[in-house]
Amino acid sequence: MNTVFESFDNGRLLRLESVTRFSELAWNNHPSFSGVSLKHLVTSHETGGLFSYHLVRIAPGHAIGDHIHETQLETHEVIEGTGICRLGEVIENYHPGVISIIPSRLQYSVEAGLDGLLLFAKFMPPLC
């Protein structure tokens, strides 16, 4: 049986002019955080610099450490797994169904639980 995340990983993006099959997109290791990988579903090039969408996979016991996005508002939609997000002084438990909005210039981190963490992340303006 497919998990919800596997359904996303094998999903597709429908646009008027094209269809993007997520299974054809590569996973990219995060440049700064071990055990974190991203699949760039929609990039700046495709949106005229308005936004980007990404699947994010954080392995059990790994984290996206403290960092700040100076210009991007970021959202997280938890697809599968569990973890903790630290938004400034606020700690939010991550589990499927949780959505977070992270304003620009706010320090935050995300730690995966024992079962890992799988997110759908959006950036406005785009991350890449």
Side-chain angles (χ1 to χ4, degrees), residues 56-89:
V56 180
R57 181 172 57 192
I58 307 172
H62 287 83
I64 298 172
D66 284 334
H67 68 289
I68 296 172
H69 292 283
E70 289 294 330
T71 60
Q72 289 108 344
L73 175 130
E74 181 177 357
T75 66
H76 293 163
E77 297 172 34
V78 180
I79 299 170
E80 274 188 9
T82 58
I84 294 173
C85 181
R86 289 182 170 77
L87 301 166
E89 299 298 316

Short mmCIF file of all heavy atoms in Angstrom, two decimals, residues 56-89:
data_model
loop_
_atom_site.label_atom_id
_atom_site.label_comp_id
_atom_site.label_asym_id
_atom_site.label_seq_id
_atom_site.Cartn_x
_atom_site.Cartn_y
_atom_site.Cartn_z
N VAL A 56 10.14 17.96 0.82
CA VAL A 56 11.30 17.94 1.72
C VAL A 56 11.24 16.65 2.53
O VAL A 56 10.21 16.33 3.12
CB VAL A 56 11.29 19.16 2.68
CG1 VAL A 56 12.49 19.11 3.61
CG2 VAL A 56 11.23 20.46 1.90
N ARG A 57 12.36 15.94 2.53
CA ARG A 57 12.47 14.67 3.26
C ARG A 57 13.57 14.83 4.30
O ARG A 57 14.72 15.11 3.95
CB ARG A 57 12.79 13.57 2.25
CG ARG A 57 12.90 12.19 2.80
CD ARG A 57 13.02 11.15 1.69
NE ARG A 57 14.15 11.43 0.81
CZ ARG A 57 14.35 10.84 -0.36
NH1 ARG A 57 13.49 9.95 -0.81
NH2 ARG A 57 15.40 11.12 -1.08
N ILE A 58 13.21 14.65 5.57
CA ILE A 58 14.19 14.73 6.67
C ILE A 58 14.26 13.34 7.30
O ILE A 58 13.26 12.83 7.80
CB ILE A 58 13.80 15.78 7.72
CG1 ILE A 58 13.53 17.13 7.06
CG2 ILE A 58 14.89 15.90 8.78
CD1 ILE A 58 12.96 18.18 8.01
N ALA A 59 15.43 12.75 7.25
CA ALA A 59 15.63 11.39 7.78
C ALA A 59 15.48 11.38 9.30
O ALA A 59 15.73 12.39 9.97
CB ALA A 59 17.01 10.88 7.38
N PRO A 60 15.08 10.23 9.88
CA PRO A 60 15.00 10.12 11.33
C PRO A 60 16.31 10.55 11.99
O PRO A 60 17.40 10.22 11.51
CB PRO A 60 14.75 8.62 11.56
CG PRO A 60 14.10 8.15 10.29
CD PRO A 60 14.74 8.97 9.20
N GLY A 61 16.19 11.33 13.06
CA GLY A 61 17.37 11.78 13.79
C GLY A 61 18.10 12.94 13.14
O GLY A 61 19.15 13.35 13.63
N HIS A 62 17.61 13.49 12.06
CA HIS A 62 18.24 14.61 11.37
C HIS A 62 17.37 15.87 11.48
O HIS A 62 16.22 15.80 11.91
CB HIS A 62 18.51 14.27 9.91
CG HIS A 62 19.63 13.30 9.75
ND1 HIS A 62 19.44 11.94 9.88
CD2 HIS A 62 20.94 13.47 9.50
CE1 HIS A 62 20.59 11.32 9.71
NE2 HIS A 62 21.53 12.22 9.48
N ALA A 63 17.95 16.99 11.08
CA ALA A 63 17.23 18.26 11.24
C ALA A 63 17.67 19.28 10.20
O ALA A 63 18.77 19.21 9.65
CB ALA A 63 17.49 18.83 12.64
N ILE A 64 16.78 20.21 9.97
CA ILE A 64 17.13 21.45 9.29
C ILE A 64 17.42 22.41 10.44
O ILE A 64 16.52 22.81 11.17
CB ILE A 64 15.96 21.97 8.44
CG1 ILE A 64 15.62 20.97 7.34
CG2 ILE A 64 16.30 23.34 7.86
CD1 ILE A 64 14.35 21.31 6.56
N GLY A 65 18.69 22.69 10.66
CA GLY A 65 19.12 23.48 11.82
C GLY A 65 18.67 24.93 11.74
O GLY A 65 18.09 25.39 10.75
N ASP A 66 18.94 25.65 12.83
CA ASP A 66 18.58 27.07 12.91
C ASP A 66 19.07 27.83 11.69
O ASP A 66 20.23 27.75 11.32
CB ASP A 66 19.20 27.70 14.16
CG ASP A 66 18.46 27.31 15.43
OD1 ASP A 66 17.26 27.00 15.35
OD2 ASP A 66 19.11 27.32 16.50
N HIS A 67 18.16 28.55 11.07
CA HIS A 67 18.51 29.40 9.94
C HIS A 67 17.39 30.43 9.72
O HIS A 67 16.32 30.33 10.31
CB HIS A 67 18.77 28.58 8.67
CG HIS A 67 17.58 27.92 8.10
ND1 HIS A 67 16.96 26.84 8.68
CD2 HIS A 67 16.87 28.19 6.98
CE1 HIS A 67 15.94 26.46 7.95
NE2 HIS A 67 15.85 27.27 6.90
N ILE A 68 17.67 31.37 8.85
CA ILE A 68 16.74 32.46 8.55
C ILE A 68 16.69 32.64 7.03
O ILE A 68 17.73 32.61 6.37
CB ILE A 68 17.22 33.79 9.20
CG1 ILE A 68 17.20 33.66 10.71
CG2 ILE A 68 16.38 34.97 8.72
CD1 ILE A 68 17.84 34.85 11.43
N HIS A 69 15.50 32.85 6.51
CA HIS A 69 15.34 33.27 5.12
C HIS A 69 15.04 34.76 5.16
O HIS A 69 14.00 35.17 5.69
CB HIS A 69 14.21 32.50 4.42
CG HIS A 69 14.52 31.06 4.21
ND1 HIS A 69 15.35 30.63 3.21
CD2 HIS A 69 14.13 29.95 4.88
CE1 HIS A 69 15.45 29.31 3.26
NE2 HIS A 69 14.73 28.88 4.28
N GLU A 70 15.94 35.54 4.65
CA GLU A 70 15.81 37.01 4.74
C GLU A 70 14.63 37.55 3.96
O GLU A 70 14.01 38.52 4.38
CB GLU A 70 17.10 37.69 4.26
CG GLU A 70 18.27 37.51 5.21
CD GLU A 70 18.06 38.21 6.55
OE1 GLU A 70 17.37 39.25 6.61
OE2 GLU A 70 18.60 37.70 7.54
N THR A 71 14.32 36.95 2.81
CA THR A 71 13.30 37.54 1.95
C THR A 71 12.06 36.67 1.75
O THR A 71 11.03 37.17 1.32
CB THR A 71 13.88 37.88 0.56
OG1 THR A 71 14.35 36.67 -0.04
CG2 THR A 71 15.01 38.88 0.66
N GLN A 72 12.15 35.37 2.03
CA GLN A 72 11.03 34.47 1.71
C GLN A 72 10.11 34.21 2.89
O GLN A 72 10.58 33.90 3.98
CB GLN A 72 11.55 33.11 1.22
CG GLN A 72 12.18 33.15 -0.12
CD GLN A 72 13.68 33.00 -0.02
OE1 GLN A 72 14.28 33.16 1.03
NE2 GLN A 72 14.31 32.73 -1.15
N LEU A 73 8.83 34.26 2.63
CA LEU A 73 7.83 33.67 3.49
C LEU A 73 7.80 32.20 3.09
O LEU A 73 7.84 31.88 1.91
CB LEU A 73 6.46 34.30 3.25
CG LEU A 73 5.33 33.65 4.04
CD1 LEU A 73 4.54 34.73 4.75
CD2 LEU A 73 4.45 32.81 3.16
N GLU A 74 7.77 31.30 4.08
CA GLU A 74 7.80 29.86 3.80
C GLU A 74 6.61 29.21 4.49
O GLU A 74 6.22 29.61 5.58
CB GLU A 74 9.10 29.26 4.35
CG GLU A 74 9.26 27.79 4.12
CD GLU A 74 10.60 27.25 4.62
OE1 GLU A 74 11.43 28.02 5.10
OE2 GLU A 74 10.80 26.03 4.51
N THR A 75 6.02 28.22 3.83
CA THR A 75 4.98 27.43 4.47
C THR A 75 5.41 25.97 4.47
O THR A 75 6.13 25.52 3.59
CB THR A 75 3.62 27.56 3.76
OG1 THR A 75 3.70 26.98 2.45
CG2 THR A 75 3.17 29.01 3.67
N HIS A 76 4.98 25.25 5.49
CA HIS A 76 5.19 23.80 5.58
C HIS A 76 3.82 23.14 5.72
O HIS A 76 3.02 23.57 6.55
CB HIS A 76 6.00 23.42 6.82
CG HIS A 76 7.40 23.87 6.80
ND1 HIS A 76 8.16 23.91 7.95
CD2 HIS A 76 8.21 24.28 5.80
CE1 HIS A 76 9.37 24.35 7.64
NE2 HIS A 76 9.42 24.59 6.34
N GLU A 77 3.60 22.10 4.94
CA GLU A 77 2.45 21.23 5.12
C GLU A 77 3.01 19.85 5.43
O GLU A 77 3.73 19.28 4.62
CB GLU A 77 1.60 21.20 3.86
CG GLU A 77 1.02 22.57 3.51
CD GLU A 77 0.34 22.60 2.17
OE1 GLU A 77 -0.27 21.59 1.76
OE2 GLU A 77 0.43 23.66 1.51
N VAL A 78 2.72 19.34 6.62
CA VAL A 78 3.27 18.05 7.03
C VAL A 78 2.46 16.95 6.34
O VAL A 78 1.25 16.85 6.51
CB VAL A 78 3.25 17.87 8.55
CG1 VAL A 78 3.83 16.52 8.94
CG2 VAL A 78 4.01 19.01 9.23
N ILE A 79 3.17 16.12 5.56
CA ILE A 79 2.54 15.03 4.81
C ILE A 79 2.59 13.73 5.60
O ILE A 79 1.58 13.04 5.73
CB ILE A 79 3.25 14.83 3.45
CG1 ILE A 79 3.13 16.11 2.61
CG2 ILE A 79 2.66 13.64 2.71
CD1 ILE A 79 4.00 16.10 1.38
N GLU A 80 3.77 13.41 6.12
CA GLU A 80 3.95 12.17 6.88
C GLU A 80 5.03 12.36 7.92
O GLU A 80 5.90 13.23 7.79
CB GLU A 80 4.38 11.01 5.96
CG GLU A 80 3.25 10.30 5.32
CD GLU A 80 3.72 9.04 4.59
OE1 GLU A 80 4.87 8.61 4.71
OE2 GLU A 80 2.87 8.49 3.88
N GLY A 81 4.99 11.50 8.93
CA GLY A 81 6.02 11.51 9.96
C GLY A 81 5.69 12.49 11.07
O GLY A 81 4.61 13.06 11.13
N THR A 82 6.69 12.64 11.94
CA THR A 82 6.53 13.54 13.09
C THR A 82 7.83 14.30 13.29
O THR A 82 8.88 13.93 12.77
CB THR A 82 6.22 12.76 14.38
OG1 THR A 82 7.28 11.82 14.61
CG2 THR A 82 4.88 12.03 14.29
N GLY A 83 7.73 15.35 14.07
CA GLY A 83 8.90 16.15 14.38
C GLY A 83 8.52 17.38 15.17
O GLY A 83 7.39 17.51 15.65
N ILE A 84 9.47 18.27 15.27
CA ILE A 84 9.28 19.53 16.00
C ILE A 84 9.80 20.66 15.15
O ILE A 84 10.88 20.56 14.55
CB ILE A 84 10.04 19.51 17.34
CG1 ILE A 84 9.45 18.45 18.28
CG2 ILE A 84 10.03 20.88 18.01
CD1 ILE A 84 10.24 18.23 19.55
N CYS A 85 9.02 21.75 15.11
CA CYS A 85 9.48 22.97 14.46
C CYS A 85 9.60 24.04 15.53
O CYS A 85 8.67 24.25 16.32
CB CYS A 85 8.49 23.41 13.38
SG CYS A 85 9.01 24.90 12.50
N ARG A 86 10.76 24.68 15.58
CA ARG A 86 10.98 25.81 16.50
C ARG A 86 10.92 27.08 15.68
O ARG A 86 11.78 27.34 14.84
CB ARG A 86 12.33 25.67 17.19
CG ARG A 86 12.37 24.56 18.20
CD ARG A 86 13.74 24.50 18.92
NE ARG A 86 13.72 23.60 20.05
CZ ARG A 86 13.77 22.27 19.97
NH1 ARG A 86 13.85 21.69 18.79
NH2 ARG A 86 13.75 21.52 21.05
N LEU A 87 9.87 27.88 15.91
CA LEU A 87 9.66 29.15 15.22
C LEU A 87 9.95 30.26 16.23
O LEU A 87 9.09 30.58 17.04
CB LEU A 87 8.22 29.27 14.72
CG LEU A 87 7.74 28.22 13.75
CD1 LEU A 87 6.23 28.27 13.61
CD2 LEU A 87 8.40 28.43 12.42
N GLY A 88 11.15 30.80 16.20
CA GLY A 88 11.51 31.77 17.23
C GLY A 88 11.43 31.10 18.59
O GLY A 88 12.09 30.09 18.84
N GLU A 89 10.55 31.59 19.45
CA GLU A 89 10.36 31.02 20.80
C GLU A 89 9.25 29.98 20.86
O GLU A 89 9.02 29.38 21.90
CB GLU A 89 10.06 32.15 21.79
CG GLU A 89 11.17 33.19 21.90
CD GLU A 89 12.48 32.58 22.39
OE1 GLU A 89 12.45 31.78 23.35
OE2 GLU A 89 13.53 32.91 21.80
#
